[in-house]
Amino acid sequence: MYAQIVLFDGFDPLDVIAPYEVLHAGGTASGGAVDVALVSAEGPREVVSGTGGLALAATAVLDPHRPGLVVVPGAAGRVGDQADEADRADPDGPGNGEGPGGDTIPVLLGRTLTTGLPALLGAAMADPAVTVCTVCGGSLVLAMAGLLEGRHATTHHLGHDLLDATGARAVRARVVDDGDLVSGAGVTSGLDLGLYLLEREAGPRVAHAVETLFAYERRGVVWRPTGPEPVPF
């Protein structure tokens, strides 16, 4: 199984590193059955995250038709009152070149729409050999590109209303499995997402070995659109 983890300007490092380490360890535990790479829409380049200028290197262009997984992270930046207070304190400060709150998370995610990434993700979602996965605000990248209409997905709890507003069906769960779309919620859910993907694609024994190695226990139930509707409490 080949996993491509997408980098874009302003990405959240933990959204990338958590599933990367889990899937890389899964490759070791499975004797090489899992391979993982960092990619971008533009090809090999240094990609700067939204956290203190930390950069990671994309080694290849995203191939939307390569069978396996495509993992889309969210962004790291200012949110809510934090952004408003910073803009009032320094109207001409970093990120305000395009107006107040220029480096807020929604703006960073929205900038991906001006790149080649949406078209590549659309092609990946249309390919039955590819499972597209997201961590945190990564589902909002897909949603804002019009790729999640009617699909079940999750995101950071602060983004559920926006996810719903795009026509997606937001689910408040740690990990949501909607077939060829698997999404994780808040930032640290990248660990849970990675372990679940290992269980699904490489088997529970491999996933358990990595879980044990990382001294981490997955949280919550993986939500799927199956089974009877629960009676409201």
Side-chain angles (χ1 to χ4, degrees), residues 7-12 42 45-50 74-76 107-109 111-112 115:
L7 302 179
F8 58 83
D9 295 321
F11 71 89
D12 188 301
E42 298 79 19
R45 69 181 181 101
E46 289 287 314
V47 187
V48 179
S49 76
V107 168
L108 290 170
L109 295 175
R111 285 179 187 155
T112 64
T115 71

Side-chain angles (χ1 to χ4, degrees), residues 158-171:
L158 294 177
H160 274 263
D161 289 344
L162 177 56
L163 190 59
D164 266 330
T166 66
R169 303 174 69 179
V171 179

Side-chain angles (χ1 to χ4, degrees), residues 105-216:
I105 288 175
V107 168
L108 290 170
L109 295 175
R111 285 179 187 155
T112 64
L113 303 182
T114 67
T115 71
L117 185 57
L120 292 171
L121 293 177
M125 292 196 70
D127 193 322
V130 177
T131 297
V132 176
C133 314
T134 66
V135 183
C136 199
S139 58
L140 294 174
V141 172
L142 297 173
M144 290 189 294
L147 299 174
L148 292 191
E149 183 76 30
R151 299 298 301 268
H152 297 95
T154 191
T155 189
H156 190 283
H157 64 89
L158 294 177
H160 274 263
D161 289 344
L162 177 56
L163 190 59
D164 266 330
T166 66
R169 303 174 69 179
V171 179
R172 292 187 179 274
R174 185 80 169 167
V175 176
V176 172
D177 183 340
D178 199 38
D180 60 358
L181 171 68
V182 184
S183 53
V187 183
T188 57
S189 68
L191 290 166
D192 304 85
L193 177 80
L195 288 165
Y196 174 66
L197 292 172
L198 282 183
E199 179 183 4
R200 191 176 110 153
E201 305 294 335
R205 296 172 68 179
V206 169
H208 181 260
V210 174
E211 186 179 74
T212 302
L213 175 68
F214 282 20
Y216 177 80

